[in-house]
Amino acid sequence: MRKLIIDLGHGGTDTGSIGPNKTNESDVVLAIGKELNELLKGCNLEIKLTRLSDKYISLQERSKIANDFKADYFLSIHINSASDKTVRGVEVWQYSNKNEKLNKFSNDLCNDISKIFNIRNRGLKLSKDLSVLRNTAMPSALIEVDFISNSQAEKDLNISSNIKAVAIAIKDNLLKLLGFETTTADTLYRVCIGAYRDKNNALNQVQLAKNKGFKDAYIV
Protein backbone atom coordinates (compact mmCIF):
# COMPACT_ATOMS: atom_id res chain seq x y z
CA MET A 1 0.00 0.00 0.00
CA ARG A 2 1.30 3.46 -0.91
CA LYS A 3 2.24 5.78 1.96
CA LEU A 4 1.78 9.53 2.04
CA ILE A 5 2.87 12.20 4.53
CA ILE A 6 0.98 15.51 4.65
CA ASP A 7 2.86 18.13 6.63
CA LEU A 8 0.80 21.08 7.84
CA GLY A 9 3.22 23.94 8.36
CA HIS A 10 3.67 25.86 11.63
CA GLY A 11 1.21 25.50 14.54
CA GLY A 12 1.00 26.24 18.24
CA THR A 13 3.39 29.01 19.27
CA ASP A 14 4.58 29.20 15.64
CA THR A 15 1.74 30.97 13.81
CA GLY A 16 3.68 31.36 10.58
CA SER A 17 2.90 34.46 8.55
CA ILE A 18 0.07 36.74 9.67
CA GLY A 19 -2.30 38.56 7.32
CA PRO A 20 -3.25 42.27 7.49
CA ASN A 21 -6.41 41.31 9.40
CA LYS A 22 -4.54 38.96 11.75
CA THR A 23 -5.27 35.64 10.04
CA ASN A 24 -2.60 33.10 10.98
CA GLU A 25 -0.97 31.00 8.29
CA SER A 26 -1.04 28.04 10.69
CA ASP A 27 -4.84 28.24 10.96
CA VAL A 28 -5.41 28.37 7.20
CA VAL A 29 -3.04 25.45 6.66
CA LEU A 30 -4.83 23.45 9.36
CA ALA A 31 -8.21 24.11 7.71
CA ILE A 32 -6.88 22.86 4.37
CA GLY A 33 -5.36 19.82 6.08
CA LYS A 34 -8.57 18.85 7.83
CA GLU A 35 -10.50 19.03 4.54
CA LEU A 36 -7.79 17.04 2.77
CA ASN A 37 -7.77 14.40 5.49
CA GLU A 38 -11.52 13.86 5.05
CA LEU A 39 -11.23 13.73 1.26
CA LEU A 40 -8.51 11.08 1.41
CA LYS A 41 -10.44 8.79 3.74
CA GLY A 42 -11.48 5.67 1.92
CA CYS A 43 -8.58 5.84 -0.54
CA ASN A 44 -6.34 2.79 -0.62
CA LEU A 45 -3.53 4.68 1.07
CA GLU A 46 -1.69 4.88 4.36
CA ILE A 47 -1.81 8.58 5.26
CA LYS A 48 -0.14 10.38 8.13
CA LEU A 49 -0.49 14.09 8.90
CA THR A 50 2.20 15.73 11.00
CA ARG A 51 -0.55 17.56 12.87
CA LEU A 52 -4.34 17.79 12.93
CA SER A 53 -4.56 20.35 15.72
CA ASP A 54 -2.97 23.68 16.60
CA LYS A 55 0.26 22.26 18.01
CA TYR A 56 3.93 23.09 17.57
CA ILE A 57 6.16 20.54 15.83
CA SER A 58 9.82 21.25 15.12
CA LEU A 59 11.19 21.03 11.59
CA GLN A 60 13.43 18.15 12.63
CA GLU A 61 10.49 16.23 14.05
CA ARG A 62 8.48 16.70 10.85
CA SER A 63 11.24 15.11 8.78
CA LYS A 64 11.68 12.32 11.33
CA ILE A 65 7.94 11.52 11.22
CA ALA A 66 8.14 11.19 7.43
CA ASN A 67 11.32 9.11 7.42
CA ASP A 68 10.13 6.79 10.19
CA PHE A 69 6.85 6.28 8.32
CA LYS A 70 8.84 5.42 5.16
CA ALA A 71 6.42 7.41 3.05
CA ASP A 72 6.47 7.27 -0.75
CA TYR A 73 5.92 11.03 -0.98
CA PHE A 74 5.96 14.03 1.34
CA LEU A 75 3.91 17.21 0.83
CA SER A 76 4.21 20.25 3.09
CA ILE A 77 1.44 22.87 2.93
CA HIS A 78 2.14 26.56 3.61
CA ILE A 79 0.85 30.05 2.84
CA ASN A 80 3.38 32.58 1.56
CA SER A 81 4.08 36.17 2.61
CA ALA A 82 5.95 39.13 1.12
CA SER A 83 6.86 42.69 2.05
CA ASP A 84 5.16 43.80 -1.18
CA LYS A 85 1.48 43.55 -0.21
CA THR A 86 0.34 43.48 -3.84
CA VAL A 87 1.97 40.11 -4.57
CA ARG A 88 -0.21 37.03 -5.10
CA GLY A 89 0.42 33.62 -6.61
CA VAL A 90 0.94 29.93 -5.99
CA GLU A 91 4.27 28.11 -6.13
CA VAL A 92 5.65 24.69 -5.26
CA TRP A 93 9.18 24.09 -3.98
CA GLN A 94 11.29 20.96 -4.46
CA TYR A 95 14.84 20.04 -3.46
CA SER A 96 15.62 19.06 -7.06
CA ASN A 97 13.82 18.56 -10.37
CA LYS A 98 15.18 15.07 -11.08
CA ASN A 99 11.88 13.28 -10.41
CA GLU A 100 9.66 13.79 -13.47
CA LYS A 101 6.53 12.50 -11.76
CA LEU A 102 7.00 14.95 -8.89
CA ASN A 103 7.73 17.76 -11.35
CA LYS A 104 4.44 17.09 -13.12
CA PHE A 105 2.58 16.97 -9.81
CA SER A 106 4.00 20.33 -8.74
CA ASN A 107 3.31 22.04 -12.05
CA ASP A 108 -0.22 20.63 -12.33
CA LEU A 109 -1.03 21.59 -8.74
CA CYS A 110 0.17 25.16 -9.32
CA ASN A 111 -1.98 25.36 -12.43
CA ASP A 112 -5.09 24.08 -10.66
CA ILE A 113 -4.79 26.35 -7.62
CA SER A 114 -4.00 29.42 -9.72
CA LYS A 115 -7.38 28.89 -11.41
CA ILE A 116 -9.24 28.69 -8.08
CA PHE A 117 -8.16 32.18 -7.04
CA ASN A 118 -7.43 33.58 -10.52
CA ILE A 119 -3.87 34.33 -9.43
CA ARG A 120 -0.42 34.03 -10.95
CA ASN A 121 1.03 30.56 -11.42
CA ARG A 122 4.55 31.08 -10.07
CA GLY A 123 5.40 27.47 -10.88
CA LEU A 124 7.96 24.98 -9.70
CA LYS A 125 10.94 26.37 -7.76
CA LEU A 126 14.04 24.71 -6.32
CA SER A 127 15.70 25.19 -2.92
CA LYS A 128 18.44 23.36 -1.01
CA ASP A 129 17.66 25.42 2.11
CA LEU A 130 14.16 24.32 3.12
CA SER A 131 14.61 21.93 6.03
CA VAL A 132 11.72 19.55 5.34
CA LEU A 133 12.81 19.13 1.70
CA ARG A 134 16.48 18.70 2.58
CA ASN A 135 15.97 16.19 5.40
CA THR A 136 13.22 13.90 4.08
CA ALA A 137 14.35 10.67 2.42
CA MET A 138 11.48 10.46 -0.08
CA PRO A 139 10.49 12.72 -3.02
CA SER A 140 9.16 15.88 -1.35
CA ALA A 141 7.38 19.09 -2.26
CA LEU A 142 6.29 22.20 -0.38
CA ILE A 143 3.35 24.24 -1.65
CA GLU A 144 2.84 27.94 -0.93
CA VAL A 145 -0.88 28.30 -1.73
CA ASP A 146 -0.98 32.12 -1.96
CA PHE A 147 0.34 35.24 -0.19
CA ILE A 148 -1.49 35.90 3.07
CA SER A 149 0.22 39.30 3.17
CA ASN A 150 -2.16 40.38 0.39
CA SER A 151 -5.47 41.57 1.89
CA GLN A 152 -7.62 40.02 -0.88
CA ALA A 153 -5.75 36.73 -0.62
CA GLU A 154 -6.36 36.77 3.14
CA LYS A 155 -10.09 37.23 2.51
CA ASP A 156 -10.12 34.45 -0.09
CA LEU A 157 -8.34 32.09 2.30
CA ASN A 158 -11.04 32.64 4.92
CA ILE A 159 -13.82 31.40 2.61
CA SER A 160 -14.65 27.77 3.36
CA SER A 161 -15.52 26.92 -0.25
CA ASN A 162 -12.07 28.09 -1.34
CA ILE A 163 -10.41 26.00 1.36
CA LYS A 164 -12.32 22.95 0.15
CA ALA A 165 -11.44 23.68 -3.49
CA VAL A 166 -7.75 23.86 -2.59
CA ALA A 167 -8.01 20.57 -0.68
CA ILE A 168 -9.73 18.92 -3.65
CA ALA A 169 -7.02 20.15 -6.03
CA ILE A 170 -4.32 18.78 -3.73
CA LYS A 171 -6.15 15.47 -3.33
CA ASP A 172 -6.70 14.98 -7.06
CA ASN A 173 -3.08 15.71 -7.91
CA LEU A 174 -1.77 13.50 -5.12
CA LEU A 175 -3.87 10.60 -6.33
CA LYS A 176 -2.55 11.07 -9.88
CA LEU A 177 1.00 11.22 -8.51
CA LEU A 178 0.41 7.93 -6.70
CA GLY A 179 -1.05 6.27 -9.79
CA PHE A 180 -4.74 6.36 -8.87
CA GLU A 181 -7.41 7.28 -11.40
CA THR A 182 -9.49 10.33 -10.53
CA THR A 183 -12.89 11.37 -11.84
CA THR A 184 -14.28 14.85 -12.19
CA ALA A 185 -17.52 15.92 -10.54
CA ASP A 186 -19.32 16.02 -13.91
CA THR A 187 -18.37 12.44 -14.90
CA LEU A 188 -21.48 10.30 -15.35
CA TYR A 189 -21.76 6.51 -15.42
CA ARG A 190 -24.74 4.79 -17.00
CA VAL A 191 -26.07 1.63 -15.36
CA CYS A 192 -27.89 -1.04 -17.35
CA ILE A 193 -30.36 -3.13 -15.34
CA GLY A 194 -30.79 -5.92 -17.92
CA ALA A 195 -32.14 -7.05 -21.30
CA TYR A 196 -35.61 -8.56 -21.84
CA ARG A 197 -37.23 -10.36 -24.78
CA ASP A 198 -40.71 -9.35 -23.57
CA LYS A 199 -41.28 -5.60 -23.87
CA ASN A 200 -43.75 -5.67 -20.99
CA ASN A 201 -41.02 -7.00 -18.70
CA ALA A 202 -38.77 -4.16 -19.79
CA LEU A 203 -41.52 -1.60 -19.16
CA ASN A 204 -42.13 -3.08 -15.73
CA GLN A 205 -38.42 -2.73 -14.86
CA VAL A 206 -38.41 0.90 -15.99
CA GLN A 207 -41.46 1.64 -13.86
CA LEU A 208 -39.89 -0.15 -10.90
CA ALA A 209 -36.73 1.94 -11.26
CA LYS A 210 -38.77 5.15 -11.48
CA ASN A 211 -40.76 4.17 -8.39
CA LYS A 212 -37.47 3.84 -6.53
CA GLY A 213 -36.47 7.38 -7.49
CA PHE A 214 -34.55 6.85 -10.73
CA LYS A 215 -36.63 9.31 -12.75
CA ASP A 216 -34.38 9.22 -15.85
CA ALA A 217 -34.77 5.44 -16.39
CA TYR A 218 -35.60 4.55 -19.99
CA ILE A 219 -35.56 1.72 -22.52
CA VAL A 220 -32.85 1.57 -25.22
Side-chain angles (χ1 to χ4, degrees):
M1 186 179 291
R2 308 305 298 275
K3 292 184 174 184
L4 179 65
I5 284 280
I6 305 294
D7 174 46
L8 304 183
H10 307 285
T13 56
D14 176 13
T15 62
S17 299
I18 301 174
N21 291 303
K22 308 305 179 186
T23 300
N24 293 336
E25 175 186 358
S26 57
D27 293 334
V28 176
V29 166
L30 181 59
I32 294 171
K34 285 181 175 179
E35 283 284 356
L36 182 58
N37 187 49
E38 289 300 314
L39 290 168
L40 288 170
K41 285 181 178 178
C43 297
N44 189 30
L45 289 170
E46 283 190 60
I47 304 161
K48 184 183 288 288
L49 284 86
T50 52
R51 69 182 181 96
L52 264 177
S53 62
D54 186 24
K55 62 184 286 189
Y56 173 78
I57 304 173
S58 71
L59 293 175
Q60 293 77 14
E61 187 177 356
R62 293 169 191 270
S63 299
K64 185 177 187 303
I65 290 169
N67 293 335
D68 288 349
F69 189 56
K70 294 180 170 55
D72 293 290
Y73 290 98
F74 172 99
L75 176 66
S76 189
I77 303 175
H78 289 257
I79 313 295
N80 221 333
S81 183
S83 56
D84 181 351
K85 308 303 181 186
T86 66
V87 175
R88 292 196 69 174
V90 53
E91 59 194 35
V92 175
W93 291 83
Q94 294 176 194
Y95 187 78
S96 77
N97 59 356
K98 294 180 180 178
N99 186 312
E100 289 300 323
K101 288 179 68 177
L102 190 64
N103 294 345
K104 178 172 172 50
F105 163 81
S106 296
N107 284 311
D108 287 351
L109 183 55
C110 278
N111 188 51
D112 289 347
I113 290 182
S114 69
K115 292 176 181 176
I116 293 170
F117 298 111
N118 191 27
I119 55 176
R120 178 184 170 192
N121 178 350
R122 298 168 64 91
L124 170 60
K125 299 178 180 292
L126 302 179
S127 173
K128 305 292 186 184
D129 298 325
L130 295 171
S131 175
V132 291
L133 300 184
R134 188 176 65 248
N135 295 312
T136 44
M138 67 290 303
S140 303
L142 183 152
I143 182 169
E144 298 276 10
V145 173
D146 201 349
F147 283 75
I148 203 169
S149 47
N150 179 285
S151 59
Q152 184 57 53
E154 182 183 19
K155 289 177 184 176
D156 289 343
L157 291 166
N158 276 294
I159 297 172
S160 59
S161 59
N162 288 337
I163 293 296
K164 185 163 189 177
V166 169
I168 290 171
I170 295 173
K171 182 227 22 171
D172 287 347
N173 282 283
L174 282 172
L175 291 181
K176 284 189 285 185
L177 174 64
L178 291 163
F180 292 88
E181 290 186 5
T182 60
T183 59
T184 58
D186 58 354
T187 300
L188 300 176
Y189 299 93
R190 291 183 177 179
V191 178
C192 179
I193 294 177
Y196 304 89
R197 293 185 184 278
D198 188 322
K199 185 177 181 180
N200 288 329
N201 288 340
L203 290 170
N204 288 338
Q205 285 298 328
V206 169
Q207 190 57 51
L208 181 62
K210 288 183 176 180
N211 290 342
K212 290 182 176 294
F214 299 95
K215 303 300 183 184
D216 57 349
Y218 57 91
I219 296 174
V220 178

